Amino acid sequence: MLHHYQTVSKRRIPCIGLTEEHPPETEVLILLYNINLWLGAAPAVYSSAEGRTVYILYEDTAFLIDDFLESFSPSLAVISHSWPICAFGTASNQETVRLSAELLPAETKQNPTIEVVQQSISGQETDSLQTLCLQIDCTDHETAVKVYRLLTCMNWRTNIAVMDWSAVDSSWRQMLVDPTIRSFFCYISVDPHITPGDCLRSLSFSQKLVLWKAFLKEKLEPAEFEWLAEEISEDTVSNRMEWELALREAMKQLKFRIINQENSFELFDDAGKRLYFGSDCRSAAERVLMKILFPLNFQ
């Protein structure tokens, strides 16, 4: 521990509204989802190189300690049952303040109690902090790596993590947006109101690039193209320019050649073979491709 903390206050509060416990990964995402809404900010995520600690930092933020504890001590206490977690902030005198919450044994599960502790270097009490930081100590390094990977794959604007299916841990299955969808990527969120459009808006440029290459080179047509075709038809597609740039880069990397003139359109693969697309474009991926190439002419 970098500092020696003195206990400023310790109090017990009833845990109202405590629901059935989820796996700690789910509880962490629920906590971060609610903190993001509360602060109106997105965090940066760090991890110790060889240890088991994950840090979640909200820069340029300020908050009242009582408000934070009232809102989030139940989540902190539930997570602490599996993984030790605490919150830090900087007081006006520049010292670090540590906040923690722990579930205490109760006579019945319907009447749990939380012990909330505030500590500081000086032992002096304060009521507000700047720069919220959460520290999570996972059970082992492997778990910390998985949690870090999940959080760094998160698009904090949509609260959706986009990952390869092969990277999904079994403990995350209950957080899948839809485990039955035929999508190229896996989408993870604790928000119950996620739409296909939200999933599209969660994709990074590199992931859009992968999708285009999967279609152009491997002839794969995952659900993402169906979602995108629907968004285009309804004129609600987000960041169309990035999809166009990803298509351009995919063709460049694949060494595809395109001839797109006023009355002539031809597309050749890396072997010089011309690729044909049906005039009806029944394939969602083909419709998306043609609409990106011909935004004014193709209907």
Side-chain angles (χ1 to χ4, degrees), residues 130-189:
Q130 295 181 343
T131 311
L132 172 65
C133 177
L134 300 175
Q135 175 182 313
I136 304 173
D137 294 316
C138 300
T139 51
D140 51 62
H141 177 64
E142 182 181 356
T143 301
V145 169
K146 291 179 181 179
V147 172
Y148 175 75
R149 183 169 63 240
L150 174 63
L151 297 183
T152 52
C153 287
M154 183 69 64
N155 183 314
W156 297 108
R157 293 174 300 148
T158 61
N159 288 294
I160 300 173
V162 184
M163 308 179 71
D164 293 333
W165 284 97
S166 60
V168 178
D169 190 76
S170 59
S171 62
W172 305 343
R173 292 289 174 178
Q174 71 175 41
M175 296 186 289
L176 295 178
V177 171
D178 184 349
T180 66
I181 56 176
R182 187 183 50 83
S183 58
F184 191 92
F185 294 107
C186 170
Y187 300 87
I188 297 174
S189 180

Side-chain angles (χ1 to χ4, degrees), residues 36-48:
N36 292 352
L37 293 177
W38 186 66
L39 289 176
V45 181
Y46 309 98
S47 68
S48 54

